[in-house]
């Protein structure tokens, strides 16, 4: 990043692939703001890992290795010692006044989606943005940016677990849970913990070029740029509160009859609703379109069968309600990035012991990420509530396979995935990279509550 007077020029990658071609975007910084100053805004209750990411990237002087230097200001967004992970407390050297000098403001986390951030902090963020500062929300920090109104009408991302909550609480935000990070030039957001590192490296690359970012990545011993998005980590369970809704019985019936070939029209008829009304009610309740949810459940069932049985792919397709093995393979690959056969072999490579249903004994543990090209990531704090289904971007098309999991303001167009109406097409995908966890417990609880209502 270079500065002339009160103007700062930041470079951002052109295209969805984050290529080396850079386009200059001029940001005018007013008052005392300087482009090399990065303010990190911390709140009580934020996890220490997420909070430490921008401190490590922007707060350590590595000029002896030829790396660029930033001036870091750690600012408290509220009074008092700030509680963090493990019962630790922190005392920030600056308050909100520190934001007045920063050319970049980073919000690494927020403690609870149910709480509104302090009004003074939101006002300081709005002022910083109005005066030309670049505003960054890492992981659940996107909730703070949304509360300040900085994400209204913009695409944004956050950890996949909390994307539906963000979309429901701030409907003006175009939430896209597929991306690792999204760069809108003046406002940037990232997904879970590891994606915060991705975005910070992206910022260094935008400010100082690919060589500087690559050198910093080597110092941190992390990949410079990961391919893929959040899809390999998404758990597609439903919110528990659906059990108290009239649609719970319809959802339970769908889960119990995945082996049958039915579409959303059938579900709407069982709910005694028109298709349009059913779509609207289902999306309002779950944050996901019924078509998208249904295909994810069919693929999830296929995962279970591939993991635990010796059934052929043809038989797995039949038991999951797909009209053909070709349909299963297409949806499976689009959602998980691998074929059913590769998924099965990879899952068994992770299991140290055989199982009665077809596990393989004596094989060495092999990371599933190797098959998907994805790295593992840890989730944010639990106080954001139950796991919810992923929300597709408002009006967003399907994701083209193999695309880098980051979007910039100059992002290229996207290719829509072909439709298969034997089951719905789905953007969000349940992946093996998250310890092969499945929402069986939530599903069982849902069925139990629905049975009691009947």
């Amino acid at each position: 990043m270079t500065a002339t007077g009160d103007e700062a020029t930041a470079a951002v990658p052109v295209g969805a692939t984050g290529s080396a071609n850079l386009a200059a975007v001029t940001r005018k910084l007013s008052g005392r703001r300087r482009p090399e100053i990065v303010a990190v805004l911390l709140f009580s209750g934020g996890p220490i890992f997420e909070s430490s990411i921008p401190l490590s990237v922007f707060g350590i002087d590595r000029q002896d290795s030829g790396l660029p230097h930033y001036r870091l200001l750690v600012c408290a967004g509220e009074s008092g010692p700030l509680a963090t992970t493990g019962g630790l407390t922190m005392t920030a050297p600056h308050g909100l006044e520190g934001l007045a000098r920063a050319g970049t403001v980073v919000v690494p986390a927020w403690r609870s989606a149910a709480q509104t951030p302090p009004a003074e902090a939101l006002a300081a963020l709005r002022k910083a943005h109005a005066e030309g500062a670049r505003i960054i929300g890492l992981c659940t920090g996107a909730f703070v940016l949304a509360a300040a109104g900085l994400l209204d009408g913009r695409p944004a991302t956050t950890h996949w677990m909390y994307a539906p909550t963000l979309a429901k609480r701030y409907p003006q935000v175009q939430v896209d849970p597929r991306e690792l990070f999204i760069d809108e030039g003046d406002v940037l957001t990232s997904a879970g913990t590891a994606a915060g590192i991705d975005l910070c490296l992206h910022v260094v690359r935008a400010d100082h070029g690919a060589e500087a970012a690559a050198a910093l990545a080597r110092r941190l011993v992390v990949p410079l740029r990961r391919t893929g998005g959040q899809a390999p980590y998404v758990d597609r369970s439903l919110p528990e509160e659906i059990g108290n809704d009239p649609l719970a019985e319809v959802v339970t019936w769908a889960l119990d009859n995945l082996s049958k070939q039915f579409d959303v029209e059938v579900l709407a008829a069982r709910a005694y609703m028109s298709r349009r009304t059913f779509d609207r009610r289902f999306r309002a309740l779950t944050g996901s379109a019924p078509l998208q949810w249904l295909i994810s459940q069919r693929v999830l069932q296929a995962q279970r069968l591939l993991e635990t049985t010796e059934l052929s792919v043809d038989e797995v397709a039949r038991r999951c309600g797909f009209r053909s093995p070709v349909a299963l393979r297409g949806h499976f690959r689009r959602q998980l990035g691998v074929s059913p056969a590769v998924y099965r072999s990879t899952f068994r490579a992770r299991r140290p012991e055989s199982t009665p249903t077809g596990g393989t004994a004596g094989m060495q543990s092999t990371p599933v990420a190797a098959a998907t090209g994805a790295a593992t990531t840890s989730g944010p704090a639990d106080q954001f509530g139950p796991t919810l289904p992923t929300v597709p971007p408002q009006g967003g098309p399907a994701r083209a396979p193999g695309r880098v999991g980051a979007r910039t303001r100059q992002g290229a167009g996207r290719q829509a995935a072909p439709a298969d109406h034997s089951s719905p097409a789905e953007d969000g995908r349940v992946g093996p990279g998250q310890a092969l966890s499945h929402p069986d417990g939530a599903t069982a609880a849902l069925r139990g509550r629905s049975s009691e209502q009947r």
Side-chain angles (χ1 to χ4, degrees), residues 36 57 117 136 142 145 192 196 225 228 252 267 274 326 330 369 386 399:
E36 72 276 8
V57 172
I136 299 173
L145 272 60
R225 190 167 58 246
T252 301
L267 299 181
S274 68
V326 174
R399 181 191 186 90

Side-chain angles (χ1 to χ4, degrees), residues 51-77:
S51 300
S52 69
I53 289 171
L55 305 183
S56 298
V57 172
F58 302 113
I60 298 177
D61 188 350
R62 301 182 176 93
Q63 294 182 87
D64 58 339
S65 300
L67 295 175
H69 176 61
Y70 291 89
R71 290 179 56 197
L72 182 73
L73 300 178
V74 182
C75 305

Side-chain angles (χ1 to χ4, degrees), residues 254-290:
L255 292 172
D256 288 338
N257 292 273
L258 288 175
S259 61
K260 300 178 181 178
Q261 293 181 15
F262 61 87
D263 55 19
V264 179
E265 296 289 350
V266 172
L267 299 181
R270 293 187 66 88
Y272 301 101
M273 297 178 184
S274 68
R275 171 63 185 275
R276 179 175 296 182
T277 301
F278 182 78
D279 281 2
R280 184 175 63 253
R281 286 281 296 110
F282 194 95
R283 186 183 289 274
L285 183 66
T286 69
S288 179

Side-chain angles (χ1 to χ4, degrees), residues 347-355 358-366:
F347 172 80
R348 290 178 177 173
R350 291 174 61 91
R351 296 176 65 95
E353 298 177 358
S354 62
T355 66
T360 302
M363 298 188 70
Q364 297 294 324
S365 175
T366 302

Side-chain angles (χ1 to χ4, degrees), residues 427-445:
D427 290 340
R429 286 149 277 186
V430 185
Q434 199 155 20
L436 298 165
S437 61
H438 300 305
D440 295 320
T443 301

